Amino acid sequence: MSEDLASLAKDRGIRYFMISYTDLFGVQRAKLVPASAIAEMQQDGAGFAGFATWLDMTPAHPDLFAMPDAAAVVQLPWRKEVAWVAADCVMENKPVLQAPRTILKNMVAAAAGQGLRVKTGVEAEFFLIDPDGAVISDGKDNASKPCYDQLALMRRYDVIAEICDHMQELGWKPYQNDHEDANGQFEMNWAFDDALITADRHSFFKFMVRSVAEKHGLRATFMPKPFPNLTGSGCHIHVSVWDESGTTNKFHDESDEMGLSQQGYHFLGGIMKHAEAIAAITNPTVNSYKRINAPRTMSGATWSPNTVTWTGNNRTHMVRVPGKGRFELRLPDGAVNPYLLQAVVIAVGLSGIASKADPGKRLDIDMYALGHTVKDAPRLPLNLLDALRAFDKDDALKAALGTEFSEAYLNLKRNDWNNYSAQFTEWERATTLDI
């Protein structure tokens, strides 16, 4: 792909570029730049006021410039005169160290410095709901076990097929789409790739799904737990580590019972060791913990972990090894920041390799039925505040992700928790008026 965006615009008939970056809360920020100005923007960046977005800045900070990464340009399949392009944030000619894409690029570079190339795939679940957000959009989708329901899937064929067609056109190699475990919930899968590519695609995917849903008069949400009685939306991530050329899977060991190499076990050990702390990143909202710590849902299972355990091909644990040479982290939810998800997994994995971390005993039990019998495994945080406290105590993880990021993230997320705690609820009135 040409690195000259002006030439690309001329060749492809692009009239506008959407220069986009993702802030600390996972919100996508963009400026629409006419193709006639893109050469200047590619050199100098599109200007933003960082304080106006979810970055830990003040109105006194200098201009933030979003530098478009030509390698990440995506021509919108549904509006071809517009191209979306992921951007890196700079301020006074220096990278903004709290910016999520910068953090991920730093972690990718750290892995590359060890001759490692992290490849990942994500399973992004979402709901299609009415525009006002009150109910799911399909009144007929009311089965108690709706997972893989073919009629419900086909009633949303126009939306799902259009999104999948777009992914095929973009070369993402989508391979399956399904109705998920909650009424009104769907999942779409595409091929795994290098961590930065997956993060850019994950970011664009959320924008694309919302855009196509709106076109059809619907609303898409990646909220972790939009309905109390239904299964929440996860964002499981499949992880493998390859050599520098990307041809040899360094996690794969055919002689091992699980098909994992010692390096793979150590990487997994890093995830297990830091699990309580990474929840602050992988499960970043107040609502996230309504999914992790949910009671039994209408379908009979939450499909969400609440304890730090790992296993083989068993979906009731935080980590499962579904096949040789890779594992699946089932902790993240739909609200996770696409870039911070990849960055934190690489950070704790590299830490595990460096310290030769032991992932602990594999448990081959049904955690939903027998989890109460496991006495020595840590529990995942009960709420966002507990997760933030765990993250703040993890000095090694904060150092790996960067002090500027860690302080900024904790500051904004603590404010988020405080704003939530200041809300006066009907539950308080119902349970306290007569005390």
Side-chain angles (χ1 to χ4, degrees), residues 18 26 29 57 67 120 133 153 170 192 311 330 358 368 377:
M18 185 176 289
R29 310 291 182 169
M57 296 179 178
M67 306 295 296
T120 60
L153 178 62
L170 294 172
F192 74 99
T311 186
R330 298 178 58 79
D358 181 355
Y368 297 160

Side-chain angles (χ1 to χ4, degrees), residues 289 381-391 414 417-418 421:
Y289 298 85
L382 290 172
N383 53 55
L384 179 60
L385 181 60
D386 286 348
L388 293 174
R389 286 170 171 165
F391 179 73
R414 282 170 178 150
W417 174 263
N418 291 338
S421 299

Side-chain angles (χ1 to χ4, degrees), residues 104 120 122 195 198-199 202 237 337-347:
L104 174 55
T120 60
V122 293
T198 294
H202 184 188
I237 177 171
N337 186 307
Y339 298 98
L340 296 181
L341 168 60
Q342 304 290 331
V344 78
V345 167
I346 297 173

Side-chain angles (χ1 to χ4, degrees), residues 54 57 91 132 183 236 241 246 286 297 331 356 365 420:
W54 290 119
M57 296 179 178
M91 185 176 288
D132 64 5
N183 307 107
H236 308 148
V241 172
V286 169
T297 64
L331 177 58
K356 293 183 167 50
I365 64 171
Y420 164 71

Side-chain angles (χ1 to χ4, degrees), residues 135-434:
V135 295
I136 65 169
S137 61
D138 181 1
K140 295 179 181 179
D141 187 354
N142 55 17
S144 60
K145 280 189 177 290
C147 204
Y148 316 124
D149 187 319
Q150 62 185 9
L151 285 175
L153 178 62
M154 287 304 293
R155 284 197 296 272
R156 287 290 171 258
Y157 171 84
D158 289 347
V159 177
I160 302 302
E162 183 171 337
I163 296 167
C164 190
D165 286 345
H166 293 338
M167 288 195 284
Q168 291 192 84
E169 180 180 336
L170 294 172
W172 292 13
K173 300 178 182 178
Y175 56 90
Q176 62 183 15
N177 313 292
D178 68 76
H179 189 295
E180 270 296 322
D181 192 60
N183 307 107
Q185 186 186 47
F186 300 87
E187 177 182 303
M188 308 182 73
N189 305 126
W190 65 92
F192 74 99
D193 213 314
D194 291 319
L196 181 60
I197 293 174
T198 294
D200 283 337
R201 289 177 177 176
H202 184 188
S203 181
F204 182 81
F205 176 78
K206 296 178 81 169
F207 167 59
M208 176 167 61
V209 169
R210 292 185 177 115
S211 298
V212 174
E214 285 185 5
K215 174 184 172 182
H216 290 269
L218 306 175
R219 182 177 180 179
T221 179
F222 294 85
M223 182 178 178
K225 188 77 170 175
F227 304 104
N229 64 324
L230 300 180
T231 304
S233 288
C235 186
H236 308 148
I237 177 171
H238 292 256
V239 184
S240 57
V241 172
W242 299 65
D243 67 354
E244 203 167 2
S245 68
T247 56
T248 301
N249 184 346
K250 297 181 75 69
F251 272 14
H252 186 207
D253 183 350
E254 193 66 34
S255 66
D256 179 71
E257 178 187 4
M258 304 298 294
L260 283 181
S261 66
Q262 278 302 305
Q263 194 170 56
Y265 280 113
H266 294 325
F267 195 108
L268 175 56
I271 287 179
M272 303 299 288
K273 177 181 177 180
H274 296 276
E276 295 162 273
I278 70 172
I281 306 293
T282 58
N283 307 85
T285 69
V286 169
N287 179 257
S288 294
Y289 298 85
K290 306 294 176 68
R291 168 183 170 265
I292 289 179
N293 296 297
R296 186 182 295 267
T297 64
M298 190 169 78
S299 74
T302 65
W303 301 108
S304 175
N306 60 21
T307 308
V308 183
T309 58
W310 75 280
T311 186
N313 198 354
N314 175 341
R315 287 181 170 88
T316 65
H317 293 255
M318 188 187 80
V319 178
R320 71 169 179 138
V321 182
K324 296 178 179 179
R326 64 185 171 98
F327 62 79
E328 175 193 43
L329 175 62
R330 298 178 58 79
L331 177 58
D333 62 44
V336 69
N337 186 307
Y339 298 98
L340 296 181
L341 168 60
Q342 304 290 331
V344 78
V345 167
I346 297 173
V348 295
L350 293 182
S351 172
I353 290 174
S355 65
K356 293 183 167 50
D358 181 355
K361 181 182 177 181
R362 186 181 88 225
L363 293 178
D364 296 322
I365 64 171
D366 181 344
M367 281 297 290
Y368 297 160
L370 298 172
H372 65 281
T373 67
V374 180
K375 304 300 184 184
D376 57 350
R379 289 293 298 267
L380 288 163
L382 290 172
N383 53 55
L384 179 60
L385 181 60
D386 286 348
L388 293 174
R389 286 170 171 165
F391 179 73
D392 195 20
K393 290 179 182 177
D394 197 327
D395 292 335
L397 177 56
K398 289 192 297 181
L401 294 173
T403 300
E404 183 173 324
F405 159 74
S406 299
E407 290 179 354
Y409 190 79
L410 283 167
N411 186 36
L412 290 181
K413 280 298 175 182
R414 282 170 178 150
N415 289 340
D416 204 28
W417 174 263
N418 291 338
N419 289 338
Y420 164 71
S421 299
Q423 302 303 307
F424 192 86
T425 67
E426 283 304 311
W427 180 89
E428 292 170 84
R429 293 183 59 83
T431 59
T432 315
L433 275 176
D434 294 327

Side-chain angles (χ1 to χ4, degrees), residues 5-79:
L5 291 178
S7 297
L8 184 71
K10 184 177 180 180
D11 293 343
R12 296 194 181 184
I14 296 169
R15 295 177 57 209
Y16 289 93
F17 287 87
M18 185 176 289
I19 299 178
S20 174
Y21 73 90
T22 300
D23 67 21
L24 286 172
F25 279 16
V27 180
Q28 295 168 320
R29 310 291 182 169
K31 283 200 171 180
L32 196 63
V33 174
S36 59
I38 196 61
E40 178 184 350
M41 296 295 170
Q42 191 170 7
Q43 178 178 331
D44 299 326
F48 292 80
F51 174 72
T53 73
W54 290 119
L55 293 171
D56 191 25
M57 296 179 178
T58 73
H61 272 83
D63 284 344
L64 178 152
F65 289 95
M67 306 295 296
D69 182 348
V73 70
V74 179
Q75 190 169 1
L76 304 192
W78 65 94
R79 191 177 287 273

